[in-house]
Each structure stands twice: as structure tokens, then as C-alpha cells.
Amino acid sequence: MKKQHISKKWSILALLLTLTQATVAFAGSQPSQIEQVIKNTVSAYGGNHLLNLKSLALEEKYIGFSDGQSTDPDEVDKGDYHVKVAVDFKNGRKDFRWIRGNKASYSIMHQLYNGNTGYRIDHDAKTKSQSSGLNFANVDRRHLYSLDAFLVKLMHENGTSAKYDGEINLYGDRHHQVSFQAEGYPEMTLYIDQKTNLVTKMKRAHWVPGQFYYYHYSLPEKAQHIQYATDTYVTRNGQPYSVTVSRRVQVKDLPDSYFDLPENYNDAPESLDFSEMSVQQIAENTYLAGKGWGFSIFVDVGSYFVAAGGYDGLTERYKAMKAFAGLDKPLKYFVVSHHHTDHLGGMAEVAKLGANFITVGEHIARIREMAETDLPDGRFITIDKQSNFFDGVLRVIDFPNGHSTHNLMSYFPASQVLFSADFYITRQKEGVPYGHSGLQKFKKLLVAEDIQVELFAAAHSGRVLTADDFEKSLKKTRESNCPQYWEICTAM
Ligand SMILES: [Zn+2]
């Protein structure tokens, strides 16, 4: 009886401590400058209303720009997006519903983190799969970074990591600069207006060294005691990345069932684990090496290697392949598939390894930019539509498609191996990928040119598909459908 009494007292004390967390943290001594800045910012965003939020939902339409990932290297494509991110702060759950596209053509994505485990939910195939790479911080594809109120809450929760980076004049007003680090998040720097105590800008690093994302928050509004920007404009490496079209923030409690997995969904086919470097010989003189999302093909052409698959980490793959094959020959030629930033991540390595670039003229500028070094014209060999190399050992085929205006496929006639990027892949243990119109067009080209492909290797997977798989894929089509129970689907 007595024991119970004590524990009750303690729980009341604990509750009081939680309720006054913000003040208690700074009690006893004068708050430091950083503590004062965080305190003022939190109170501008709703004080305890913000800190004690049980749940939050951000729904918005926005436009995204694909600088570096557009179909044409000389233009920046735009895309329509509609997203809803719901957060259950109490149980550490987060749900992410995303429509890419519009009525004319769209695809959807659904990811959920239930406090312990991350899931990808496929509403077309009616399957769910656990994903060890998903956590509370990234399950929404970092979308909540566009909500200033969420970042202020995050900064407060990680106040001990926060540091004051001095003042700066922004848009003509004095701003504080505060950096902080939360688990699972990149370091973020918030720019806080000294007059309003509102965040007007945030900075975080891009994976490309020396490049940054900037988030600009404007048109502040207050709803249900919570302050937030109704417009967020994001730039990446100085170029437009996304901009809000319309935004709605709800802080009313979401029903518990909101975070449930859909009923009667089967487990998705198992995925392959590419977390470790792997090398396989897929045909005579032909090796596929890679890990994560980056794979390269290396073909032994006699006194040197020719390769394709330009993700960063090329040197590591090259080394692993040479150790596996027991061969030490130089890399002399490298086929660049297309101009997208991720597939050019290894261009500095190609340059350093001394290989020549096989590409189209339209991509040279982007390759030079990513190679971080001056490359003489002699290092580039350009093709027009198709070219044969090394006495017919390699045939490079330019296949323009919806993904990029030029997309070079590397075909090795002796082994009938074709290596492609962002075109025909699967990362599943079994089964074949869905077909698409590009695949149908490619089939026509293969027939017209009388090209036999036995094996399909790709830049994003260690699984090699067969001619038989390809035929099956041509017949396997998918239709996107937006689930009836998603609010954002009814608004499309
Ligand atoms: Zn691409």
C-alpha cells in the first residue's frame, strides 16, 4: 500500500516535470543565449501546444523540379505531387501517402513506420513488405522538413545538440543561426528572425559534397494554437527543387486505426540484400559488381577492361572485381548511360582511373561538371544512335525514352549480355518486373536490328534477368489505382 502511494507521488512529479520541461531545463541558472533563442522560438510556434502535440498531419499539393534528373539535360522538368504525412508523436508512428503525377498519369507510394518497423505498402499488388531501411526520420522521404513547426519541435527535443552559429542579415532582417543534430536526421541550420522568432530558412547538406538544400518558409499562419508557414520553397544546389501549391495542417488527434496496415494484404515478394559488395561472373570475361543501388559491369577485352554503371563507388567495385577475377588490367573505356546526377556520381572516379568516356555529345558538359577535373576533348568518344567498339566486342545503343532523351545501353554480342540503367530491373528474389511502354518499344528495336539478348544486367541491381524474364515482363502490365480510403485520392 505504502509503495503504491510513493509511486503515485513520483508519477505526479514526473508529469509536472514533463509539462514544464521547457522551463525546468533552463531553471537554476540564467538561460544561455542558445537556450533563450530555442525558448522564444518554441513559444512563437505555440509553446506547450507545440511541445505536447499528440499528432499532426500535413497535407499538401506541391510542384517538384527535377534538376539533374530531367529527361533533357538542357531543361528542368516539373512534376505534380500530392502528399499527406501523419505523425503520432506519442507512439513514434508516421504514415506517408504520396501521389506522383496527376489525373492524366500517376503513381502512388505508401510507407508506414509503426514505432518499431517500417513498411512499404503496394496498393496495386495489394502487398506489404517490411523494410529495415525505413525509420521514423525517413519514412516520409524527408517531406516534413518543409514544415517549420515540425523542425522547431525537433530542435527543442534535441536542444542539447544545438549550437549558436551567430547572427546573419537575411531579407534585410537580423536572424539567429542555430544548428542542431537529431538522430536519423542530417545536421540542420535554422535561420530565425529575431523580431518574430519565426524560422524563415533552413539549410542541410546534399549527398553531393559542397552542395546544399535551402528551405524558405513564408506566409505564416496560426491554426489550433500552432504557428506554421503556409508556403515552403526549396532549392537544391541553387536550383528550384519544390514549391508549395496548397497546404493544410491538422493537429486534431488522428484515430488509432489510421496507422494500421491494410487488412488482407499479402507479403510482397522477398527482396535481395545488397548491403554488402558482391561480384559475380555472369558470362565469359564479364563481371557484375556492386552494392546498395550502384552496380557496374566490367568486361575483359584483352589487355584492358571496359565498364558501364556510373554510380559513385566505382573504384571500390573495380577493385573488388579485379580481386574476384584475379586480373589486374587497366580500365580503359567507360560507357555513360545517361545524364542523371546519381548515374554520374562516379565520373570523378572514371576520370581518375584514366578511362575514356563513351557518351553522346549532349552529355559531355554534365560529365565534365561531375568529374571535378579538366578533361581534354580526347577523353570523350561520342556515338550517334549506335556504334561498335573493339572489333565488335561492344555495341553501344542509344535508346531515347521517357526517362532521358539519350540512354546508352551496352551490348556485348559474344555473351549476348545487355547492361542498362533505369530501364529494366528488379531487386526481388523471384518474379519479373512489370512491363511498360518503353520495354515494348525496345523489344521492337531488338527485333528490327536482329539483336539477341540472353541476359539483362542493370545499374541498380545484382539480379540478372533472362530473355525469358523479358518476354514475361512484356506481358505483365500494371494499372495504378488510388485507394478509396485515401482522402488525397478523392481530391485528384
Ligand atoms: Zn535516371
Side-chain angles (χ1 to χ4, degrees):
M1 191 68 195
K2 201 175 176 195
K3 208 176 156 195
Q4 227 174 38
H5 199 73
I6 292 170
S7 72
K8 199 173 176 187
K9 243 195 213 163
W10 275 111
S11 59
I12 290 169
L13 188 60
L15 183 70
L16 280 172
L17 276 168
T18 319
L19 287 174
T20 52
Q21 213 176 8
T23 13
V24 169
F26 308 135
S29 57
Q30 278 289 85
S32 67
Q33 184 180 27
I34 183 81
E35 288 167 342
Q36 194 60 52
V37 170
I38 294 176
K39 198 177 161 187
N40 293 346
T41 311
V42 166
S43 92
Y45 276 85
N48 281 334
H49 288 289
L50 177 78
L51 300 183
N52 299 329
L53 267 186
K54 277 200 214 123
S55 63
L56 175 133
L58 168 69
E59 188 208 316
E60 67 183 359
K61 287 188 172 178
Y62 66 98
I63 289 172
F65 302 95
S66 345
D67 183 51
Q69 305 289 129
S70 299
T71 50
D72 191 313
D74 296 330
E75 283 195 279
V76 178
D77 296 347
K78 72 116 185 168
D80 298 324
Y81 298 89
H82 196 167
V83 67
K84 185 165 179 180
V85 183
V87 190
D88 167 8
F89 290 107
K90 217 176 97 203
N91 301 298
R93 298 185 291 184
K94 208 192 246 177
D95 180 271
F96 172 71
R97 301 172 183 187
W98 199 35
I99 304 173
R100 294 170 290 191
N102 49 39
K103 262 189 280 185
S105 162
Y106 67 88
S107 65
I108 63 163
M109 185 187 269
H110 192 182
Q111 298 189 147
L112 169 74
Y113 185 73
N114 73 2
N116 293 306
T117 312
Y119 290 91
R120 291 181 210 281
I121 300 154
D122 184 335
H123 290 284
D124 298 341
K126 303 234 176 317
T127 57
K128 57 179 165 36
S129 58
Q130 287 192 16
S131 174
S132 56
L134 292 179
N135 54 46
F136 181 79
N138 69 16
V139 70
D140 60 346
R141 295 178 61 94
R142 317 271 174 196
H143 197 81
L144 270 189
Y145 294 6
S146 58
L147 189 66
D148 50 345
F150 176 77
L151 297 186
V152 169
K153 190 167 157 56
L154 196 65
M155 170 176 71
H156 177 267
E157 283 160 6
N158 296 277
T160 52
S161 75
K163 51 184 202 303
Y164 192 77
D165 296 338
E167 293 187 340
I168 190 172
N169 196 317
L170 259 190
Y171 322 112
D173 295 313
R174 302 302 302 167
H175 279 66
H176 301 294
Q177 295 180 91
V178 176
S179 299
F180 70 97
Q181 176 79 62
E183 200 193 325
Y185 295 85
E187 187 184 63
M188 299 189 201
T189 303
L190 301 189
Y191 301 79
I192 303 160
D193 188 315
Q194 294 184 359
K195 260 202 229 107
T196 61
N197 293 312
L198 298 184
V199 178
T200 63
K201 183 173 165 180
M202 183 269 274
K203 174 187 178 181
R204 69 168 172 112
H206 182 23
W207 65 264
V208 178
Q211 296 190 7
F212 294 92
Y213 286 88
Y214 286 105
Y215 292 64
H216 302 266
Y217 307 97
S218 61
L219 302 177
E221 245 177 48
K222 205 165 201 162
Q224 299 141 296
H225 307 289
I226 305 297
Q227 180 75 49
Y228 64 92
T230 56
D231 186 84
T232 304
Y233 170 53
V234 186
T235 64
R236 184 176 67 183
N237 191 30
Q239 300 303 315
Y241 182 69
S242 72
V243 63
T244 315
V245 173
S246 63
R247 170 176 290 176
R248 201 156 68 104
V249 173
Q250 293 168 265
V251 297
K252 72 171 198 298
D253 290 357
L254 289 157
D256 212 48
S257 59
Y258 191 93
F259 298 92
D260 288 347
L261 285 163
E263 278 173 32
N264 305 323
Y265 275 32
N266 293 320
D267 289 330
E270 234 181 303
S271 292
L272 290 155
D273 179 7
F274 294 130
S275 55
E276 301 289 331
M277 174 67 73
S278 71
V279 184
Q280 39 179 325
Q281 180 169 7
I282 59 172
E284 207 184 346
N285 303 325
T286 309
Y287 305 88
L288 185 67
K291 71 171 182 187
W293 285 89
F295 288 79
S296 295
I297 192 169
F298 297 90
V299 176
D300 180 355
V301 183
S303 51
Y304 52 84
F305 282 105
V306 53
Y311 255 53
D312 64 341
L314 174 73
T315 318
E316 196 191 340
R317 295 192 289 278
Y318 177 47
K319 270 190 191 152
M321 180 278 303
K322 284 195 294 182
F324 176 90
L327 294 166
D328 192 12
K329 298 180 183 181
L331 179 64
K332 227 169 153 185
Y333 294 93
F334 188 89
V335 183
V336 183
S337 65
H338 63 303
H339 65 281
H340 289 170
T341 309
D342 53 338
H343 291 271
L344 298 182
M347 292 307 103
E349 295 170 78
V350 178
K352 235 185 178 167
L353 289 166
N356 292 319
F357 298 80
I358 297 176
T359 180
V360 288
E362 289 86 344
H363 293 168
I364 292 177
R366 284 285 292 140
I367 295 169
R368 281 205 158 111
E369 206 180 304
M370 293 294 286
E372 298 164 357
T373 176
D374 282 338
L375 289 167
D377 292 346
R379 292 286 294 274
F380 295 95
I381 300 154
T382 56
I383 71 146
D384 181 22
K385 293 190 186 79
Q386 284 197 39
S387 267
N388 284 302
F389 294 90
F390 327 120
D391 296 326
V393 169
L394 165 69
R395 181 166 174 179
V396 179
I397 305 159
D398 183 10
F399 182 68
N401 54 29
H403 188 72
S404 55
T405 46
H406 296 280
N407 204 331
L408 305 194
M409 316 255 173
S410 303
Y411 176 62
F412 301 91
S415 54
Q416 302 189 330
V417 170
L418 183 105
F419 182 87
S420 69
D422 297 347
F423 181 66
Y424 184 54
I425 79 148
T426 181
R427 288 167 62 94
Q428 288 173 0
K429 273 186 183 160
E430 282 163 24
V432 301
Y434 282 100
H436 50 85
S437 63
L439 224 53
Q440 306 285 352
K441 285 178 194 149
F442 191 62
K443 167 76 183 174
K444 274 188 193 148
L445 178 109
L446 294 181
V447 172
E449 300 271 338
D450 195 21
I451 299 170
Q452 306 293 327
V453 181
E454 272 310 313
L455 297 173
F456 292 85
H460 285 317
S461 174
R463 176 154 165 223
V464 179
L465 291 153
T466 64
D468 199 39
D469 293 332
F470 187 71
E471 289 305 318
K472 278 187 194 146
S473 289
L474 290 171
K475 292 185 198 106
K476 186 180 169 187
T477 51
R478 92 189 278 165
E479 242 170 71
S480 274
N481 53 71
C482 216
Q484 288 293 308
Y485 72 96
W486 281 18
E487 280 169 61
I488 56 173
C489 288
T490 53
M492 196 161 48

